[in-house]
Every structure is written in C-alpha cells, then in structure tokens.
C-alpha cells in the first residue's frame, strides 16, 4: 500500500503549505476545499478541488462540499474486501488514503466577548468531523491527521515507506476521536448554558492537559493536570509560573484552596494553607499587614505552606516571606524588587494570577467530584452574607467590632473541612479545628491552638450545634461571640448557654459543609 491521494481541509493553516508541497513531491495527489485550496494555489502547490472528485459544486456557502459518496466511499472502503473493491470499481470511485483536517474554530469563536448566537452556530463544523470519523474508523487503511504537530512524522514515514505504519494510524485515529469528542462536548456545553441547563440528562465534559505530574497525592499514584478549554482567568489553571520547581499534585490542590479563600475578601488579605485547610488568614490596611497577621495566626503550621495574596507583593512583604520555607506564593502581581528577593530561593514557586474574578463570575463555576463509577456535580459555594441573612438570637447583640470579626471568621470557616470551628480576633484567625468527626472535637482543637488568644475571640461554626456542649466549651475559653447557621432542634439549648455566659450569638440560616 501507498498513500496516493490526500484530502486536505483546514481552518488552522499552520504548516499546511509545506506539508502539501512535500506530499505533491512524493507523488501524492492533493484534493482540497475552499480557503485551503485557494492558499495552496497561491503558493503554487499542485491541488485539485473537491468538486472535481464529487462532480458536484460546493453549495450553501460551503456548508455542503465533502458530504458526498465519492468522498466517504473513498474513506470507508475496506481495501482487502472483494465486495468493497467491486463496488468501488463499478461506480468508478477512487480511494482516499490520507485525510488532513482541523475543524471550524468553535472554541475560539465562543470565547470572544459578546459573540452572537448565530456566529457560534455557524462555526459548528459538520463535514470536518464526518471526514475525520470516517477516516479514523478505517484507520487500518487510511491515515488521518488532526494535529499539525503530527505532520513531520507522517511525512517522514511517507518518505521512507510510501505509507504510514499501522501503529501510527492507530495512534492518530485515537487522537481524532478524542478531538471530535472534545469538540462536541464544547458544543453541548454551549447549548446547556444558552438554555440555562447546567445539569442535563447526560453530561459530557472535556479538559486539556496542562502537564504530566511526577505523581499524585503519593508517589505510587500516577497523575496529570488538566484545565477546562475555556477556563476563566484568576485561577490556578491560568496562573503564570514566574519561578521555581514544577508544581506537584498536592501543590495544585493547596494553591486552589488558598485562592478560593483569598477571593472572599475585598480588603487586602493573605491566606496560608496546609493540606487544603487554612492555617492562617489575615486582613489589613495593606498586604504587608495582612501577611503579618496571617503569619502570627499560626507560625508553626505556615512552614512549608502555600501563601495566596489578593494584592501585589512588594519588597517589604517579600523580605518577610523569604525568611520562611514556603512551597508556593500566589499573587495578582509581584513588584520587580519582590521578584528579585524571592527568586534567590531556588525552589519556591512564584505564581502570578492576574486580576481576581468577581463573586458573580465565580458563581458560574460548577464543581465536579469523582466517585467510584460516577461523579457528583454541584455549584460552587460562593454564598456571601447580606444584612438580611443575619439574625441575633442571644440576649446580647454583638458589638460592632465583634460583628466585624464574626463576618471575617464566617468567610474563612466555609473553606475549612467539616466539621469545622474557627476562632478569630483582630482581623486574623487564631484557631482552626478542621475535619473532625464531632463539633466539640473541632472546637477543642481550635481553642487549644489559640491558647491565650481564645479569650475575647469570636467563634464561627460551619454547621449548627446539635447541642449546647460546644458553646459551653467556648464560654470556658473566654469567647465572646458566635456565628453559626442555626436550625438544630436544640437551638434553644445553645442559645440558653450563650445567654448564661453573656455570649452574643448570630445565626445565618446558611450551612457551609465541606467534605
């Protein structure tokens, strides 16, 4: 066998002229359509039009040109099947041995601001995927190329053997089916959004590989990092790494958790994360003050952690950061002086995130969690409290300062693994109890971590108190105010304990479980 005829039709014309010129020099007849044919003719590459093969003109503004038996018979005919050979001869049809196609730029079209629905629909390719699938199905005989990165290998094999190897054809066919599947998934997702139907009867998702990872959570687990094709800005998938070692699986998870917390704040904020839980969060008049508070929240646990800031990192903050061993520092931007200071540390990863998204933009995100045999899909938890959400249930109302600290604590506790208790004072976390099997256990951990700082602090709980024991523990530690969702059948018991200890308590009516 040898490649004698090639059908070429591409939207992305990178490298196509050189490919077709070389194919022609190897004696391959090049068939093409529309703009690709025009380009090849302009570059003096021998080419014939698709209409010469089909005997039918390109019609309907190019919507119909390759959807023809003369094309798909040439692609799908089994070359060693006597009946197929007979049919091809009787109908005077010829084989097509190589297909080079890439599709209408649907992704690029819908990523444009304010793209019209009509423009999006017009950029749904029909003939291209059909040719690709036909050729890929018949890869035992037909070579199909959807990626310009594969042109060089195909040419090399044609030069050497006149044809590609079966192994190459299998690999290229598999890539085609991945490509068309991803293309259709984007179209499906576009229609779901147009119809405001984020949870349809069947869900197809597609992601693009960012990098192979050395391993997953542990060295014996294989892993890779993928991103959505149209991922929004201001997240770990769009961050630019300015310095340091390659990110690991755990780095990416922790960085994502840190960014989720720091996005809660409009004022300058710094978040330190270990194992996807915050170990220190601070806000301040500027980012340096915020970092100092985040560090002082837990000077021990921050070691080896991830730092995220929502303002530019300057020289003063960089100097403080350079005194610690940290895995990653993420910020919208770094000043040149800050970069010079931090880049002295060889391995630290410095990630520029750019402008952080608004709450409305984050609300469009859906979270996918795999379970054995399936997956769970839910809207991101970006709920923020309004004045109408807050109800004072205790005899004593919180002071203005207590209310400020309660709202600060509430923004952070929803990002702590459940059961979660968080203590805050002076615009910083002072104690975090995460991922415990009961709420009292979480409170004990948070209070023990806070030590003397628990006295006069406020407490936030991600879910209601099933009984009054957590409030009793808070009272003994000197906590003065509590924020919690409410809704327990024993709310009255917890409120009574708060009143007996002059603790102000507010309920939100909103739970923030995080598993």
């Amino acid at each position: 066998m040898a490649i004698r005829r090639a059908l070429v039709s591409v939207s992305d014309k990178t490298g196509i002229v050189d490919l077709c010129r070389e194919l022609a020099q190897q004696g391959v007849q090049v068939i093409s359509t529309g703009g690709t044919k025009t380009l090849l003719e302009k570059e003096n590459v021998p080419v014939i039009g698709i209409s010469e093969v089909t005997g039918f003109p390109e019609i309907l503004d190019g919507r119909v040109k390759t959807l023809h038996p003369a094309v798909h018979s040439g692609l799908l005919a089994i070359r060693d099947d006597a009946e197929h050979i007979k049919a091809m001869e009787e109908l005077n049809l010829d084989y097509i041995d190589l297909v080079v196609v890439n599709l209408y730029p649907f992704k690029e079209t819908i990523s444009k601001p304010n793209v019209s629905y009509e423009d999006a629909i017009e950029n749904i390719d029909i003939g291209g995927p059909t040719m690709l699938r036909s050729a890929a199905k018949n890869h035992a005989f037909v070579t199909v190329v959807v990626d310009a990165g594969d042109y060089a290998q195909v040419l090399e094999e044609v030069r050497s053997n006149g044809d590609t190897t079966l192994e190459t054809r299998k690999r290229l066919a598999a890539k085609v089916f991945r490509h068309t599947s991803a293309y259709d998934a984007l179209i499906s997702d576009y229609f779901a959004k147009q119809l405001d139907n984020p949870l349809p009867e069947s869900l197809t998702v597609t992601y693009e590989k960012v990098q192979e990872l050395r391993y997953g959570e542990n060295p014996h687990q294989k892993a890779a990092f993928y991103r959505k094709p149209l991922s929004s800005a201001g997240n770990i998938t769009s961050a630019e790494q300015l310095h340091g070692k390659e990110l690991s699986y755990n780095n990416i998870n922790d960085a994502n958790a840190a960014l989720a917390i720091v996005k809660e704040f409009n004022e300058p904020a710094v978040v330190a994360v270990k194992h996807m839980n915050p170990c220190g969060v601070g806000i301040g008049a500027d980012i340096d003050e915020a970092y100092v508070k985040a560090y002082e929240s837990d000077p021990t646990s921050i070691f080896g952690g991830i730092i995220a800031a929502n303002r530019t990192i300057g020289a003063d903050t960089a100097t403080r950061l350079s005194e610690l061993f940290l895995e990653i520092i993420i910020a919208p931007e770094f000043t040149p002086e800050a970069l010079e200071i931090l880049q002295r540390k060889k391995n630290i990863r410095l990630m520029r995130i750019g402008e952080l998204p608004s709450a409305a933009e984050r609300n469009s995100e859906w979270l996918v969690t795999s379970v054995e045999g399936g997956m769970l899909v839910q809207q991101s938890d970006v709920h923020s409290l309004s004045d109408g959400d807050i109800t004072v249930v205790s005899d004593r109302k919180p002071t203005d300062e207590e209310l400020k600290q309660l709202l600060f604590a509430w923004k952070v506790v929803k990002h702590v693994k459940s059961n979660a208790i968080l203590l805050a004072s002076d615009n910083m976390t002072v104690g975090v109890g995460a991922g415990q099997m009961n709420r009292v256990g979480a409170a004990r951990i948070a209070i023990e971590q806070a030590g003397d700082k628990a006295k006069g602090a406020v407490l936030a709980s991600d879910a209601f108190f099933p009984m009054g024991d957590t409030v009793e523990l808070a009272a003994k530690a000197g906590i003065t105010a509590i924020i919690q969702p409410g809704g327990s059948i024993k709310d009255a018991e917890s409120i009574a304990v708060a009143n007996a200890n002059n603790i102000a308590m507010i309920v939100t009516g909103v739970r923030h479980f995080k598993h």
Side-chain angles (χ1 to χ4, degrees), residues 299-365:
T300 300
S301 297
I302 198 173
F303 182 85
I306 311 291
I307 294 289
N310 65 357
R311 297 288 194 280
T312 297
I313 298 289
D316 290 343
T317 309
T319 299
R320 298 181 192 276
L321 290 164
S322 68
E323 296 169 356
L324 288 176
F325 166 63
L326 297 168
E327 292 279 359
I328 306 176
I329 302 172
I330 313 167
E333 187 56 88
F334 298 81
T335 66
E337 295 81 8
L339 276 179
E340 195 277 328
I341 292 167
L342 293 169
Q343 285 174 340
R344 295 171 192 163
K345 301 175 78 72
K346 179 180 178 181
N347 292 326
I348 191 170
R349 292 95 163 172
L350 303 178
M351 309 294 294
R352 177 164 53 203
I353 200 72
E355 184 177 355
L356 297 176
S358 67
E361 291 170 323
R362 290 164 55 218
N363 199 41
S364 66
E365 291 291 322

Side-chain angles (χ1 to χ4, degrees), residues 141-215:
F141 307 100
V142 180
T143 303
V144 57
V145 185
V146 76
D147 181 356
D150 293 310
Y151 291 174
Q153 182 179 355
V154 169
L155 281 176
E156 179 60 33
E157 294 188 15
V158 170
R159 290 189 201 103
S160 300
N161 307 307
D163 196 5
T164 56
T165 65
L166 178 59
E167 181 181 359
T168 294
R169 294 196 295 276
K170 282 183 179 179
R171 180 181 67 81
L172 294 175
K175 181 179 282 192
V176 161
F177 285 118
R178 289 195 299 270
H179 185 77
T180 56
S181 175
Y183 192 81
D184 285 339
L186 278 174
I187 296 169
S188 173
D189 184 61
Y190 176 78
F191 274 102
K193 289 176 180 176
Q194 292 295 309
L195 297 169
D196 193 23
N197 183 22
L199 300 171
E201 72 283 351
S202 62
L203 184 64
T204 304
V205 295
T206 183
Y207 294 86
E208 300 168 343
K209 185 183 284 186
V210 177
Q211 67 185 81
E212 294 275 354
L213 300 173
R214 286 189 299 144
Y215 53 81

Side-chain angles (χ1 to χ4, degrees), residues 247-302:
L247 294 174
S248 72
Y249 182 99
N250 293 329
N251 288 156
I252 293 166
N253 258 332
D254 285 342
N256 185 63
L259 279 170
I261 302 171
V262 85
K263 289 173 184 176
E264 294 282 349
F265 297 97
N266 294 320
E267 58 270 75
V270 171
V271 174
V273 161
K274 287 284 287 290
H275 302 292
M276 295 181 66
N277 277 308
C279 59
V281 180
I283 57 176
D286 56 37
I287 208 67
D288 195 50
E289 181 184 354
Y291 168 71
V292 170
K293 289 184 178 296
Y295 171 77
E296 291 178 350
S297 296
D298 187 349
T300 300
S301 297
I302 198 173

Side-chain angles (χ1 to χ4, degrees), residues 422-435:
L422 184 135
L423 307 186
S425 178
D426 191 26
N427 298 328
M428 57 190 278
T429 58
V430 295
V432 181

Side-chain angles (χ1 to χ4, degrees), residues 32-286:
S32 193
T33 66
T36 306
K37 176 175 176 288
T38 301
L39 174 64
L40 294 176
E41 288 175 332
K42 180 182 176 182
E43 296 294 331
N44 298 315
V45 176
V47 60
I48 67 170
I50 193 69
S51 296
E52 295 180 52
V53 174
T54 63
F56 200 87
E58 297 184 23
I59 63 171
L60 306 181
D61 297 321
R63 282 190 170 201
V64 177
K65 51 197 176 199
T66 59
L67 298 169
H68 193 279
V71 173
H72 289 279
S73 298
L75 294 175
L76 287 166
I78 299 175
R79 311 301 168 83
D80 57 4
D81 183 293
E83 289 299 319
H84 286 208
I85 294 170
K86 180 181 178 182
M88 294 290 285
E89 290 174 348
E90 289 177 349
L91 294 170
N92 196 30
L93 298 171
D94 201 353
Y95 303 105
I96 297 172
D97 310 301
L98 169 64
V99 171
V100 182
V101 168
N102 55 56
L103 307 178
Y104 291 176
F106 182 77
K107 181 180 79 170
E108 292 77 8
T109 299
I110 62 173
S111 66
K112 296 175 184 175
N114 304 316
V115 62
S116 69
Y117 180 77
E118 292 74 19
D119 195 17
I121 298 307
E122 200 57 36
N123 277 278
I124 296 175
D125 203 331
I126 302 300
T130 308
M131 287 189 291
L132 288 173
R133 290 173 62 84
S134 294
K137 176 176 180 175
N138 205 26
H139 66 267
F141 307 100
V142 180
T143 303
V144 57
V145 185
V146 76
D147 181 356
D150 293 310
Y151 291 174
Q153 182 179 355
V154 169
L155 281 176
E156 179 60 33
E157 294 188 15
V158 170
R159 290 189 201 103
S160 300
N161 307 307
D163 196 5
T164 56
T165 65
L166 178 59
E167 181 181 359
T168 294
R169 294 196 295 276
K170 282 183 179 179
R171 180 181 67 81
L172 294 175
K175 181 179 282 192
V176 161
F177 285 118
R178 289 195 299 270
H179 185 77
T180 56
S181 175
Y183 192 81
D184 285 339
L186 278 174
I187 296 169
S188 173
D189 184 61
Y190 176 78
F191 274 102
K193 289 176 180 176
Q194 292 295 309
L195 297 169
D196 193 23
N197 183 22
L199 300 171
E201 72 283 351
S202 62
L203 184 64
T204 304
V205 295
T206 183
Y207 294 86
E208 300 168 343
K209 185 183 284 186
V210 177
Q211 67 185 81
E212 294 275 354
L213 300 173
R214 286 189 299 144
Y215 53 81
E217 283 185 288
N218 300 290
H220 60 276
Q221 295 171 271
K222 291 183 178 180
F225 181 30
Y226 292 81
R227 67 174 162 227
K228 293 180 180 178
L230 296 175
S231 179
S232 58
N235 57 46
I236 192 62
T237 64
S238 63
E240 178 186 2
Q241 185 166 349
L242 303 176
H243 179 71
K245 296 190 299 184
E246 187 177 82
L247 294 174
S248 72
Y249 182 99
N250 293 329
N251 288 156
I252 293 166
N253 258 332
D254 285 342
N256 185 63
L259 279 170
I261 302 171
V262 85
K263 289 173 184 176
E264 294 282 349
F265 297 97
N266 294 320
E267 58 270 75
V270 171
V271 174
V273 161
K274 287 284 287 290
H275 302 292
M276 295 181 66
N277 277 308
C279 59
V281 180
I283 57 176
D286 56 37

